[in-house]
Amino acid sequence: MQKEIVSIILEDFHKIMGEEWKIFQEKIIHNCYCSKCNSAYDSTIVDYTVEINDLDDIILRGKCDKCRYPINRYIETGENEENVEIIEEIRRRYAMN
Ligand SMILES: [Zn+2]
């Protein structure tokens, strides 16, 4: 059965990233692709929401800080078993609400 797409709060996103949170803030967030700026993955994503997709990967949906064009950033979290355990716990919690 395909897993559901779940929108999560920043706090839970932080939990999933764990020790990689610092890398996220220093690198990933500033290395997004904006098709309008035609940036080589050097745009910064702002005002983003966070989703867990059917593969337990993370998708950020936000805007380019320069031009405000909508941009997404995909983060592969579903390959890491430790992440998946945390994601399962979050899925259960959100399913109850
Ligand atoms: Zn842009």
Side-chain angles (χ1 to χ4, degrees):
M1 201 179 78
Q2 207 177 24
K3 291 181 184 179
E4 275 184 65
I5 294 167
V6 183
S7 294
I8 61 167
I9 59 170
L10 206 59
E11 193 187 327
D12 288 323
F13 176 40
H14 194 156
K15 241 179 246 174
I16 294 165
M17 295 303 283
E19 287 174 5
E20 289 179 60
W21 184 251
K22 214 178 156 205
I23 297 168
F24 168 73
Q25 290 199 303
E26 288 171 1
K27 299 236 169 76
I28 296 173
I29 209 168
H30 304 295
N31 287 275
C32 298
Y33 178 75
C34 173
S35 58
K36 202 169 179 188
C37 294
N38 197 17
S39 63
Y41 287 90
D42 65 355
S43 294
T44 298
I45 189 167
V46 293
D47 297 340
Y48 57 83
T49 55
V50 187
E51 275 174 17
I52 304 169
N53 77 358
D54 56 323
L55 301 172
D56 288 333
D57 289 329
I58 296 273
I59 301 172
L60 307 180
R61 297 186 192 280
K63 292 174 189 155
C64 169
D65 71 328
K66 276 178 248 161
C67 71
R68 313 301 290 178
Y69 194 75
I71 60 174
N72 299 332
R73 184 64 155 89
Y74 200 95
I75 306 170
E76 283 182 23
T77 44
E79 298 278 306
N80 180 318
E81 265 180 52
E82 221 173 284
N83 285 342
V84 172
E85 268 178 46
I86 298 167
I87 289 168
E88 285 304 322
E89 185 268 320
I90 290 168
R91 283 184 180 283
R92 279 195 296 275
R93 186 150 41 82
Y94 279 72
M96 283 190 293
N97 293 336

